[in-house]
C-alpha cells in the first residue's frame, strides 16, 4: 500500500461491507453506523466506542456485569407460562424464544451480592418475546418481591421490556400489572428498598406498573422508555414530538427518573445506594 | 330522533318502525276503516310483529360474536358512569381536581349515598354528543384524572367510606402531554396504592375495560362486569395492527377480538370478574333504568358482604386475589439448558 494512503480511511474497512460481514465477528452501531470488531464492543461493556450507544444486553450478560462473580443463585426459572387463550401462534413463539435465548421466560431472577451486599436481582431479556410480561414473568417477580420482604433484602431490578404486557395471554397479562404492583405494595409497607434500572426498551404495561414504582429509579442513557408505542398511541395526531421523545433523557426531564447512569457506573451506583439504604437500616435497628 | 345503530341492530330497528307505523294506523280512524274493509285486524298484526321482533332479538343477542360484543361495549347509546351514579345513588356531590394542576373530565367522582349510606363513586366518563365527547376526551384519562381518582379514594378511606369504581375507557391518553405528565407512573402508583385502601372497593366494568387506563382505577375486592362489557389488554384494532397473525391489518380487528378472549364471560372464566350482571334483552341502552337497577342490586349485595370483613382480612384477601392471577406451571429444572456467560459461575451464596 502506498504511504500516502496510510492515513485515509478505507472505503470498506478491511474491504468489508455490511452485507458481507461474517456473522458475529463485526457489529454495526445502530446509532452512528460505525462498524466495530465485536470483541472490542464486548470488552467495552457492549457500548459503542465512538458514540457511547448502549447495546442491549441479554439478561445473563446484565447479571454477570452487575453482581459479584459467582454470587448469583438463580431462582424460579422453572416457572413457565401456559397458553391460556389458545392464542394463534403463541406456543410456537414461546418455544422459539426459549430455544433462541436459552431462557424459560423474559426475566431472570436470583439472589446475589453486589460489592458484597446481599440483594435480590432481576434482569429482563428483550430477545424473549420483546421482554413482554406474561403470567410467568409476573409470578417470578412477585416471588422475588416476597423473598425480598421475607429476607429483608433490597430488590434490584433491570427492565428491558419493550413488549409491555404480553398480549398473547390477554387479560391475564394485563392483571400481572396489578399482581406485581401488589407485591410492591407489600415491599412498600415493609420498607424494603426497591431499585429500578430502566434499560432499552421499557414500554407500556411494564412501564405503567413495576418499572415506575422504584424507590429509586435509574436509567441507562438513550434508552427507549414510554407508555404507548407509536403504532398504538395517538401521539402523531398533529403534535410535533420532541426529537428525544420517550428517551431516558426525556423522562428525566419530566421528573420520572432519579439519575441517568452510564453503564460503566451502574455497579458502583448500585453499590453506594445499597450501602446508604443499609446504613439507614442499621440506625433504625440501633434505635429500636 | 335518529339513533345510531349497529349492523346487527338494523333488522330490529326495521321491525320497530313497522310497529310504530301500525300503531299510527290504529290511531287513525280513516286508515282503521280501510283496514277493516280489507279484513285486517291491526291489533293482532301489531302483536304478530312484536312477537317476531322479540324472537329476532333473542336470536341476534344469543349469537353475538366477540367483535359484536366489542361493538356493544362501545355502543354510543350505552349508559355511562354518571347515568349509573344518578340511577343507583342519591345526593351525589361531584368533586373535582387533582390538587396539583388540573381537573380531568375523563374521570368523574364524588360522595353519594347508596341505600342511605355514604360511598365514594368514581368512574371514567364518556360524552354523549360530539362536543361532550371531546370535552371528556372519549373517556381516555390523563395523569390528572388518575391523580384525582387516587385523591378521592384516599379521602374516602380516611373517613371509612366504601369505594365503587365504574370502568368505561378505550385506553389511557397516550399523547405527548400525557407522557410529559407521567401517565405510566400515575397508573402504576394508583394500582399500587389501591392495595393499601382500608375500605371495601367494588369495581364495575360497565363498558370498555381498556387495558392500563382501566386498571388504574380497577383494583378491588369484587369485580363486577355488565353482560356486554369487555376487558382487554389491548384494543383489538391495535392487536391486529401489530401481529403478523392478523396481517398487521387493523381491518382484521374482529379476528383479534376473538383471539383476545375479552368478553365478560371470559373474564369470569379467568376468575378476574366475580360475577356478570345480565343486561335487558338487546343491551343496557334499551332499558337503562332496568340495567342500573340490576347493577345496583349486585353492588349492594357485594357491599353488604364486604363490610362484615375486618380490614386486615380484607387487605389480605385483596392481595391474595391478585397474587393468584395467571396461568403458569412449574417444569423440571433440566427441561431447558441455560447457557451462562463464561465469566459467570453459578453457585450458592457464600
Amino acid at each position: 500500500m502506498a504511504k500516502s494512503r496510510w492515513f485515509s480511511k478505507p472505503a470498506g474497512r478491511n474491504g468489508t461491507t455490511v452485507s458481507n460481514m461474517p456473522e458475529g465477528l463485526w457489529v454495526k452501531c445502530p446509532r452512528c453506523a460505525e462498524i466495530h470488531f465485536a470483541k472490542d464492543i464486548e470488552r467495552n461493556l457492549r457500548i459503542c466506542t465512538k458514540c457511547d450507544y448502549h447495546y442491549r444486553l441479554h439478561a445473563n450478560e446484565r447479571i454477570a456485569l452487575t453482581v459479584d462473580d459467582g454470587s448469583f443463585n438463580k431462582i424460579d426459572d422453572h416457572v413457565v407460562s401456559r397458553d391460556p387463550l389458545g392464542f394463534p401462534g403463541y406456543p410456537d413463539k414461546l418455544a422459539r424464544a426459549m430455544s433462541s435465548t436459552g431462557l424459560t421466560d423474559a426475566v431472570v431472577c436470583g439472589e446475589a451480592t453486589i460489592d458484597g451486599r446481599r440483594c435480590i436481582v432481576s434482569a429482563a431479556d428483550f430477545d424473549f418475546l420483546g421482554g413482554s410480561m406474561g403470567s410467568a414473568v409476573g409470578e417470578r417477580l412477585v416471588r422475588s418481591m416476597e423473598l425480598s420482604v421475607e429476607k429483608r433484602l433490597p430488590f434490584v431490578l433491570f427492565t428491558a421490556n419493550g413488549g409491555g404486557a404480553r398480549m398473547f395471554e390477554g387479560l391475564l397479562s394485563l392483571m400481572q400489572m396489578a399482581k406485581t404492583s401488589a407485591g410492591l405494595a407489600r415491599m412498600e409497607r415493609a420498607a424494603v428498598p426497591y431499585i429500578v434500572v430502566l434499560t432499552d426498551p421499557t414500554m407500556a404495561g411494564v412501564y405503567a406498573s413495576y418499572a415506575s414504582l422504584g424507590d429509586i429509579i435509574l436509567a441507562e442513557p438513550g434508552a427507549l422508555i414510554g407508555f404507548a408505542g407509536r403504532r398504538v398511541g395517538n401521539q402523531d395526531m398533529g403534535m410535533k414530538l420532541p426529537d428525544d421523545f420517550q428517551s431516558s433523557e426525556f423522562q428525566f426531564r419530566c421528573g420520572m427518573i432519579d439519575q441517568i447512569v452510564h453503564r460503566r457506573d451502574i455497579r458502583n451506583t448500585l453499590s453506594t445506594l445499597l450501602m446508604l439504604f443499609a446504613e439507614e437500616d442499621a440506625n433504625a435497628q440501633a434505635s429500636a | 330522533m335518529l339513533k345510531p345503530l349497529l349492523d346487527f341492530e338494523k333488522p330490529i330497528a326495521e321491525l320497530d318502525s313497522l310497529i310504530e307505523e301500525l300503531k299510527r294506523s290504529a290511531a287513525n280512524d280513516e286508515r282503521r276503516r280501510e283496514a277493516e274493509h280489507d279484513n285486517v285486524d291491526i291489533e293482532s298484526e301489531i302483536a304478530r310483529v312484536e312477537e317476531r321482533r322479540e324472537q329476532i332479538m333473542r336470536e341476534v343477542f344469543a349469537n353475538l360474536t366477540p367483535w359484536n360484543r366489542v361493538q356493544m361495549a362501545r355502543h354510543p347509546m350505552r349508559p355511562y358512569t354518571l347515568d349509573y351514579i344518578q340511577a343507583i345513588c342519591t345526593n351525589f356531590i361531584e368533586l373535582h381536581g387533582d390538587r396539583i394542576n388540573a381537573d380531568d373530565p375523563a374521570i368523574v367522582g364524588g360522595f353519594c349515598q347508596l341505600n342511605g349510606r355514604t360511598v365514594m363513586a368514581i368512574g371514567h366518563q364518556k360524552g354523549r354528543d360530539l362536543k361532550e365527547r371531546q370535552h371528556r376526551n372519549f373517556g381516555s384519562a390523563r395523569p390528572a384524572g388518575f391523580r384525582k381518582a387516587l385523591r378521592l379514594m384516599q379521602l374516602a378511606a380516611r373517613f371509612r367510606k366504601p369505594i365503587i369504581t365504574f370502568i368505561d375507557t378505550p385506553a389511557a391518553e397516550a399523547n405527548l402531554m400525557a407522557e410529559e405528565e407521567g401517565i405510566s407512573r400515575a397508573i402504576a402508583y394508583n394500582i399500587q396504592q389501591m392495595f393499601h385502601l382500608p375500605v371495601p372497593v367494588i369495581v364495575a366494568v360497565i363498558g370498555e375495560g381498556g387495558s392500563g387506563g382501566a386498571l388504574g382505577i380497577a383494583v378491588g375486592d369484587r369485580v363486577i362486569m355488565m353482560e356486554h362489557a369487555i376487558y382487554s389488554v389491548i384494543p383489538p384494532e391495535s392487536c391486529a395492527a401489530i401481529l403478523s397473525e392478523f396481517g398487521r391489518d387493523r381491518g382484521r380487528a374482529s379476528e383479534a377480538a376473538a383471539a383476545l378472549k375479552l368478553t365478560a364471560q371470559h373474564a369470569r372464566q379467568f376468575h378476574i370478574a366475580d360475577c356478570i350482571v345480565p343486561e335487558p334483552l338487546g343491551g343496557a341502552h334499551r332499558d337503562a333504568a332496568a340495567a342500573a337497577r340490576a347493577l345496583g342490586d349486585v353492588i349492594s349485595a357485594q357491599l353488604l358482604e364486604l363490610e362484615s370483613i375486618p380490614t386486615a382480612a380484607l387487605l389480605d384477601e385483596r392481595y391474595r386475589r391478585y397474587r393468584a392471577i395467571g396461568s403458569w406451571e412449574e417444569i423440571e429444572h433440566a427441561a431447558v439448558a441455560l447457557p451462562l456467560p463464561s465469566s459467570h459461575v453459578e453457585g450458592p451464596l457464600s
Side-chain angles (χ1 to χ4, degrees):
Chain A
M1 187 190 285
K3 276 187 180 171
S4 63
R5 290 189 57 202
W6 280 9
F7 299 105
S8 69
K9 206 169 165 183
R13 191 169 276 196
N14 303 333
T16 317
T17 60
V18 181
S19 58
N20 66 6
M21 276 194 304
E23 190 74 25
L25 196 52
W26 301 91
V27 290
K28 183 182 173 189
C29 175
R31 189 198 282 160
C32 71
E34 181 81 352
I35 292 170
H36 298 282
F37 192 36
K39 282 256 162 56
D40 289 346
I41 297 297
E42 295 300 328
R43 270 194 291 273
N44 197 38
L45 307 177
R46 295 183 55 74
I47 301 166
C48 174
T49 48
K50 190 180 172 206
C51 75
D52 231 21
Y53 171 77
H54 286 47
Y55 284 81
R56 286 172 187 160
L57 293 182
H58 287 295
N60 288 332
E61 292 172 321
R62 175 68 68 182
I63 287 163
L65 280 184
T66 308
V67 307
D68 300 337
D69 274 356
S71 75
F72 189 69
N73 193 13
K74 193 180 321 216
I75 50 174
D76 296 323
D77 66 312
H78 61 299
V79 172
V80 297
S81 271
R82 293 204 191 105
D83 176 22
L85 270 54
F87 200 98
Y90 183 39
D92 275 1
K93 285 191 163 93
L94 208 50
R96 256 183 287 140
M98 283 187 188
S99 65
S100 72
T101 61
L103 303 177
T104 49
D105 213 305
V107 295
V108 176
C109 304
E111 197 175 327
T113 61
I114 297 175
D115 248 0
R117 296 175 204 286
R118 291 173 66 195
C119 55
I120 308 294
V121 179
S122 166
D125 200 307
F126 181 73
D127 279 356
F128 198 104
L129 296 178
S132 58
M133 167 167 62
S135 299
V137 169
E139 179 65 21
R140 288 180 194 185
L141 291 178
V142 171
R143 286 187 186 194
S144 292
M145 292 163 192
E146 286 177 338
L147 192 65
S148 285
V149 171
E150 185 193 316
K151 296 193 171 186
R152 296 204 62 80
L153 293 177
F155 185 26
V156 176
L157 176 138
F158 292 87
T159 63
N161 313 77
R166 189 177 294 168
M167 61 187 140
F168 312 118
E169 292 180 38
L171 190 50
L172 291 168
S173 293
L174 180 70
M175 289 299 148
Q176 301 308 307
M177 292 171 68
K179 178 166 169 169
T180 51
S181 302
L184 292 172
R186 289 233 153 159
M187 286 191 65
E188 190 183 29
R189 182 143 291 172
V192 175
Y194 170 46
I195 303 171
V196 173
V197 186
L198 303 172
T199 83
D200 185 58
T202 301
M203 296 295 288
V206 169
Y207 189 46
S209 62
Y210 64 88
S212 279
L213 293 172
D215 296 307
I216 307 285
I217 301 179
L218 310 176
E220 285 196 336
L224 176 70
I225 300 165
F227 182 56
R230 281 166 194 258
R231 269 187 298 182
V232 182
N234 54 355
Q235 306 95 326
D236 294 333
M237 285 182 9
M239 239 182 290
K240 172 88 178 76
L241 298 174
D243 292 340
D244 65 351
F245 183 58
Q246 292 183 335
S247 67
S248 309
E249 292 72 17
F250 171 90
Q251 297 294 357
F252 178 79
R253 211 165 59 233
C254 296
M256 301 302 149
I257 290 168
D258 288 293
Q259 275 194 17
I260 295 177
V261 184
H262 195 279
R263 185 172 290 164
R264 89 169 74 79
D265 299 323
I266 281 183
R267 191 178 135 89
N268 279 342
T269 305
L270 287 174
S271 163
T272 306
L273 282 170
L274 292 176
M275 184 265 289
L276 292 169
F277 273 117
E279 201 175 60
E280 288 297 310
D281 208 31
N283 285 346
Q285 279 169 3
S287 65
Chain B
M1 189 188 116
L2 197 66
K3 289 181 181 170
L5 287 172
L6 303 176
D7 279 347
F8 54 87
E9 285 183 311
K10 278 179 185 154
I12 301 159
E14 276 164 22
L15 292 177
D16 275 343
S17 55
L18 181 58
I19 292 169
E20 227 169 90
E21 176 72 30
L22 285 168
K23 282 183 175 165
R24 259 202 306 277
S25 301
N28 183 316
D29 286 346
E30 196 179 323
R31 293 179 68 177
R32 238 189 131 80
R33 272 196 298 275
E34 270 176 42
E36 271 162 27
H37 184 262
D38 292 345
N39 244 343
V40 177
D41 178 7
I42 296 187
E43 265 71 35
S44 66
E45 187 67 6
I46 290 175
R48 194 181 66 80
V49 178
E50 274 179 344
E51 195 180 315
R52 174 146 176 71
R53 175 186 180 279
E54 177 88 4
Q55 185 197 339
I56 285 185
M57 275 187 79
R58 282 192 198 291
E59 267 169 39
V60 167
F61 288 96
N63 295 302
L64 291 183
T65 65
W67 179 246
N68 291 155
R69 288 191 187 273
V70 174
Q71 292 175 297
M72 286 295 283
R74 295 172 177 172
H75 199 295
M77 301 294 291
R78 217 172 151 73
Y80 296 147
T81 293
L82 285 173
D83 300 320
Y84 281 110
I85 292 176
Q86 298 293 357
I88 298 170
C89 305
T90 52
N91 293 320
F92 176 61
I93 299 281
E94 189 174 350
L95 305 172
H96 290 273
D98 67 352
R99 297 296 186 271
I100 296 170
N101 66 349
D103 179 48
D104 182 2
I107 288 185
V108 296
F111 280 125
C112 54
Q113 283 182 314
L114 177 69
N115 305 326
R117 59 139 24 267
T118 304
V119 299
M120 176 64 79
I122 300 169
H124 305 95
Q125 180 64 31
K126 293 178 175 175
R128 200 59 74 184
D129 56 29
L130 184 64
K131 202 173 157 203
E132 202 203 348
R133 259 179 232 153
Q134 284 173 337
H135 174 62
R136 302 288 184 186
N137 196 26
F138 308 93
S140 288
R142 299 195 275 133
F146 291 104
R147 288 176 188 138
K148 169 168 70 179
L150 184 60
R151 177 176 78 84
L152 298 188
M153 289 190 265
Q154 290 174 337
L155 172 67
R158 191 145 43 90
F159 292 94
R160 292 289 182 265
K161 308 300 182 196
I163 298 163
I164 302 162
T165 70
F166 297 89
I167 309 304
D168 191 14
T169 181
E173 179 54 62
N175 62 13
L176 171 61
M177 197 202 217
E179 193 75 66
E180 284 174 333
E181 292 172 347
I183 185 72
S184 300
R185 162 74 183 186
I187 291 172
Y189 192 61
N190 273 27
I191 297 173
Q192 182 189 35
Q193 294 309 309
M194 287 186 86
F195 283 99
H196 295 314
L197 296 170
V199 293
V201 182
I202 294 177
V203 177
V205 187
I206 55 171
E208 283 183 276
S211 60
L215 197 54
I217 59 168
V219 173
D221 305 300
R222 293 285 187 277
V223 176
I224 302 163
M225 282 186 77
M226 295 302 287
E227 182 186 351
H228 297 303
I230 57 167
Y231 209 163
S232 182
V233 65
I234 185 168
E237 290 89 345
S238 304
C239 179
I242 289 172
L243 289 185
S244 57
E245 275 76 7
F246 308 112
R248 300 210 164 89
D249 177 5
R250 295 177 77 84
R252 291 171 67 181
S254 59
E255 291 167 60
L260 284 166
K261 301 220 182 341
L262 41 62
T263 68
Q265 294 69 27
H266 288 116
R268 178 83 190 81
Q269 280 166 25
F270 295 140
H271 303 290
I272 285 158
D274 298 281
C275 65
I276 298 172
V277 178
E279 294 184 21
L281 183 62
H285 59 288
R286 284 177 189 274
D287 190 347
R293 256 194 322 275
L295 179 58
D297 287 349
V298 173
I299 291 175
S300 302
Q302 303 275 25
L303 199 53
L304 212 61
E305 254 177 57
L306 291 172
E307 279 178 318
S308 64
I309 303 172
T311 306
L314 188 72
L315 290 176
D316 244 31
E317 196 42 54
R318 193 180 304 159
Y319 178 79
R320 273 204 294 274
R321 174 195 179 95
Y322 286 90
R323 172 73 183 80
I325 295 178
S327 171
W328 48 269
E329 60 192 327
E330 305 199 9
I331 52 165
E332 291 295 314
H333 252 288
V336 181
L338 300 168
L340 285 167
S342 51
S343 65
H344 182 105
V345 186
E346 200 169 354
L349 199 71
S350 51

